[in-house]
Amino acid sequence: MENDSFLSYHEFFYSKIGEDRFFEEADCKPFNMFFERPAMISMFPDLKGKTALDAGCAAGWFSDYMFKRGADVTAVDLSDNMLMLCRKRLGDNAKIYKCDLSDGLPFLQDESMDFVLSSLTLDYVKDWNMIMDEFYRILKRGGALLFSAKHPYDAYSSKRIETYYQTLNMEHEYEEYGEKVSVFFYKRPLQDMIMPVINSGFKITSLSEPVPTLEFKEVRPDLYDRYAIRPEYLIVKAVKHERQK
Ligand SMILES: C[S@@+](CC[C@H](N)C(=O)[O-])C[C@H]1O[C@@H](n2cnc3c(N)ncnc32)[C@H](O)[C@@H]1O
């Protein structure tokens, strides 16, 4: 991994507000609850009796959602504290492992998953060719991959970047509880987000640039207008089919 500063965002919350408030505040921020998560959920397949991987589970919100819809859930994350919160939330209801997605998923068997979900985590992974190959490998034929990432337009337009076409490790500064928190993520052009999916053998079946929900407008009227007219997230759904020989 190029740097591990991204952990500071989650570790920051955890160290600042502790476990209970993490679940009450950090885990249900309006950007997640009323923007990215509803858009992702609208693209979920039926999960009853299916195997599902949550790649970058954080405190396990999506893992829990998938478990409650009947999935046999495996959850992975790099952060010890997030894994601890995920275990607290799910107990024995999911198989939970520590893993750096940058090293692939060597402990998961070929064709073992019906569904792979990765929500706002791939922005921290440099090599998308490798991770898409891994998602393809562990999915059963006909299985689906659904991921969200920061939209390249947002990263490009909100920072002074010389060229859109470069993949850059960028710093994003947030102000939380009166303190600055730095998060590093990869900004990449659209072609470098889509081509690794296609080159791994997936067929892209849906793509979304969601707008915030009306609930978001109610709780963050100050931000709604901005995100109603410019994309914040890119969501891609793809299905595993036979590789062309
Ligand atoms: C924005 S959070 C995901 C939030 C989650 N989707 C939700 O709705 O609650 C990103 C997560 O990715 C994890 N992460 C970052 N880089 C990773 C990596 N290389 N391998 C595995 N997990 C990673 C972080 O620890 C963090 O928990």
Side-chain angles (χ1 to χ4, degrees), residues 1 3 6-7 9-11 22 26-28 32-33 36-37 40 54-63 76-80 82-83 89 97-104 117-126 148:
M1 207 189 327
N3 63 64
F6 71 88
L7 284 177
Y9 190 53
H10 300 82
E11 305 306 327
F22 188 95
D27 192 50
C28 50
N32 300 97
M33 287 303 281
E36 188 260 356
R37 286 175 185 161
M40 291 284 272
D54 186 354
C57 59
W61 193 93
F62 273 112
S63 297
V76 301
D77 202 283
L78 182 55
S79 157
D80 289 323
M82 291 307 110
L83 289 166
R89 176 179 246 152
Y97 303 111
K98 180 168 182 170
C99 130
D100 183 347
L101 291 169
S102 304
D103 298 332
L117 165 103
S118 191
S119 155
L120 300 178
T121 295
L122 295 176
D123 292 316
Y124 308 112
V125 175
K126 187 174 185 182
S148 60

Side-chain angles (χ1 to χ4, degrees), residues 7 13 35 65 76 80 87 105 109 134 190 225 244:
L7 284 177
F13 276 118
F35 195 168
Y65 182 91
V76 301
D80 289 323
R87 285 194 185 101
L105 295 156
Q109 304 239 313
E134 279 291 86
L190 185 62
D225 288 347
Q244 303 290 321

